[in-house]
Amino acid sequence: MQQYQQPIPPLDLPQTGSLDDHLSQRWRQLVPISLTFVVLTLNWFVIAAAFPQLGQQFHLGVSQLSDLVGMFILGFALAHIPAGVAAYSIGVKRTLLLGLFVESLVGGLCAIAPNYQVLLLLRLVAGLGGGAFVNMSLALVSSWFRGKELALALALSAAASFALGQVLALLGWIPLIDLMGWRGAILLAGGIGLGVWLVGLLFLRVPGNEAQHLSGGSIEWREVRHRVFFNRDLWFVGLSFFGVYGAGMLVAQLLPIYLGQMYHLSADLGGRYAAAFVLMAIPGGLLGGYVAHRFHLLRAAFVWPWVLLGVSVCLLPFFGMVGVALMILFAGAGPQFGFSAWSAMPGRYTDRIRPVDVATAEGLILTAGGLGGFILPVIFGILETRFGFSVAFVFVGITSIVFALIGLAARQPLHFEQKD
């Protein structure tokens, strides 16, 4: 195994304060952290549930509606690393609360957008807020939980809660939009976000043993660059998510259209298949966290499920509805199955990455992987226009496989090479 010079001693237990206090607090702290992930995806995907009314009111086509999702993702990706850098100065908790406030407030303000252009701008700013706090939430989980419990805690707080917010937005908000109109429903989602922000302001804590490090202050940037930005393991881990990110976003949005064109399914029935695809993320995230926790796996817990995801996307056009079912199973559950183990990697490289670095490290891998959310849809659209769905899906599937395998080039975290 490659060893780095001047390794940082692992830190698995609190250095100050009562161990019993730490143990009793960490599961309670998982509640407000989990709520931030629910709010993240609720305000992210609620716009998609409003597409029918939005398209009618502003006279928008499919491409313009898709741009509303794309603008949020653009802001989301742009904010990860700057937020991590800001956390060194103002602290992880303050950065989290600031980003959560911006996403929730601006997400709610989308309800009063007078036209499509203003709505696009607001979606970009809301995405910036979401991207600013998501790696802070991941960093706080990594601070409260150590050892093999980290992947399980991330499965509960990040993977499952992320999927829950998505399900609420895409399914639960549809009747609310019919009842309240798209403006009222989007305003409600933003208000819920502000409520969670208030909960975080009152109850969110950082571990006492790391409070000084996570509260911001002076930092030696040369050391940070070495530990984080020049850390090849983080780049390998981040790039492994590149294809999965793009594939997941594509399938979730295009599955009803694909089923309608290829199998002449109604929009309602196609939407049900898409709902099944989204719902698979919840058991996928929980099962992935359990596997990483129970069997001391980390790299394998995200690499091989993502390889299976790529295979299922490749097979989608050639096996009829059986291929659709396999894709829903593996591509629906796969991203979140691997996400908890994948997002645990920065917190487990304790021989090189300090607790104060985790927020920036999470931002780096999210940005590296998130590039796929922009690049793959563009290439997919070009290939589908020229060669059809089959070639486009095979390309996305192969891309997912190749990039997932890059994760094997990253070191296995030190603690997983030892017995916990």
Side-chain angles (χ1 to χ4, degrees):
M1 181 192 72
Q2 177 185 356
Q3 297 289 342
Y4 292 103
Q5 294 181 350
Q6 298 179 339
I8 301 169
L11 177 62
D12 283 324
L13 298 175
Q15 295 176 331
T16 61
S18 166
L19 175 59
D20 290 337
D21 290 344
H22 179 86
L23 296 176
S24 64
Q25 285 189 54
R26 60 182 176 176
W27 292 107
R28 292 201 299 267
Q29 285 297 309
L30 208 58
V31 174
I33 295 173
S34 298
L35 289 175
T36 67
F37 287 105
V38 174
V39 166
L40 169 70
T41 46
L42 174 60
N43 283 282
W44 181 341
F45 288 95
V46 71
I47 199 75
F51 276 175
Q53 289 191 13
L54 277 169
Q56 184 177 12
Q57 179 168 345
F58 292 140
H59 308 291
L60 306 176
V62 173
S63 176
Q64 292 169 305
L65 291 171
S66 297
D67 287 343
L68 291 172
V69 176
M71 288 298 283
F72 188 100
I73 298 174
L74 175 61
F76 187 72
L78 290 175
H80 293 317
I81 292 179
V85 173
Y88 285 115
S89 299
I90 66 174
V92 168
K93 179 181 174 180
R94 292 189 185 95
T95 307
L96 186 157
L97 291 173
L98 177 61
L100 179 59
F101 182 81
V102 169
E103 191 217 28
S104 302
L105 178 65
V106 178
L109 288 176
C110 290
I112 62 173
N115 54 53
Y116 174 70
Q117 290 72 25
V118 173
L119 185 58
L120 273 178
L121 178 61
L122 291 174
R123 291 290 294 171
L124 174 66
V125 178
L128 288 169
F133 80 78
V134 65
N135 36 319
M136 303 301 119
S137 298
L138 293 170
L140 278 185
V141 177
S142 299
S143 296
W144 278 108
F145 291 86
R146 297 294 181 184
K148 63 181 183 180
E149 284 187 340
L150 177 55
L152 180 61
L154 284 167
L156 294 171
S157 62
S161 298
F162 186 99
L164 177 59
Q166 190 176 4
V167 170
L168 285 174
L170 295 177
L171 300 180
W173 244 247
I174 292 177
L176 289 175
I177 291 171
D178 292 337
L179 179 65
M180 306 169 61
W182 73 269
R183 293 185 186 275
I186 286 180
L187 184 63
L188 176 61
I192 292 174
L194 291 175
V196 171
W197 170 81
L198 182 60
V199 169
L201 183 66
L202 296 176
F203 300 108
L204 201 59
R205 301 287 183 270
V206 298
N209 61 295
E210 295 179 8
Q212 181 178 357
H213 300 296
L214 300 182
S215 297
S218 59
I219 192 71
E220 178 52 61
W221 287 108
R222 180 176 299 178
E223 295 181 6
V224 172
R225 288 196 299 268
H226 170 71
R227 294 195 304 260
V228 178
F229 295 107
F230 295 159
N231 188 329
R232 66 177 188 176
D233 294 313
L234 292 179
W235 285 103
F236 289 144
V237 170
L239 288 173
S240 68
F241 196 41
F242 182 95
V244 175
Y245 198 115
M249 290 294 174
L250 278 168
V251 174
Q253 296 179 69
L254 294 180
L255 186 59
I257 297 174
Y258 172 76
L259 292 175
Q261 291 188 11
M262 302 302 296
Y263 301 104
H264 308 291
L265 298 186
S266 66
D268 179 66
L269 187 54
R272 293 182 185 181
Y273 278 99
F277 176 85
V278 173
L279 286 169
M280 284 301 301
I282 295 178
L286 294 174
L287 182 60
Y290 172 78
V291 168
H293 170 80
R294 176 67 178 81
F295 298 104
H296 294 236
L297 301 171
L298 216 56
R299 282 185 314 191
F302 67 86
V303 169
W304 299 117
W306 291 352
V307 168
L308 286 176
L309 178 155
V311 172
S312 70
V313 173
C314 287
L315 297 179
L316 171 63
F318 306 109
F319 286 85
M321 293 305 294
V322 173
V324 173
L326 290 173
M327 188 279 303
I328 289 175
L329 175 62
F330 292 110
Q336 295 303 330
F337 186 104
F339 185 82
S340 53
W342 178 82
S343 57
M345 294 289 274
R348 294 308 303 271
Y349 284 136
T350 52
D351 60 330
R352 184 169 184 184
I353 296 177
R354 299 181 185 275
V356 70
D357 299 324
V358 173
T360 306
E362 295 284 1
L364 188 151
I365 66 173
L366 284 166
T367 301
L371 291 173
F374 304 114
I375 297 174
L376 284 191
V378 173
I379 299 177
F380 182 94
I382 295 172
L383 292 176
E384 193 280 328
T385 300
R386 295 185 179 181
F387 305 107
F389 274 115
S390 296
V391 172
F393 275 123
V394 168
F395 169 79
V396 170
I398 292 175
T399 302
S400 299
I401 294 170
V402 171
F403 276 92
L405 291 172
I406 290 176
L408 295 176
R411 287 183 307 145
Q412 187 80 315
L414 181 62
H415 286 187
F416 278 79
E417 293 170 349
Q418 301 172 344
K419 291 184 179 181
D420 285 313

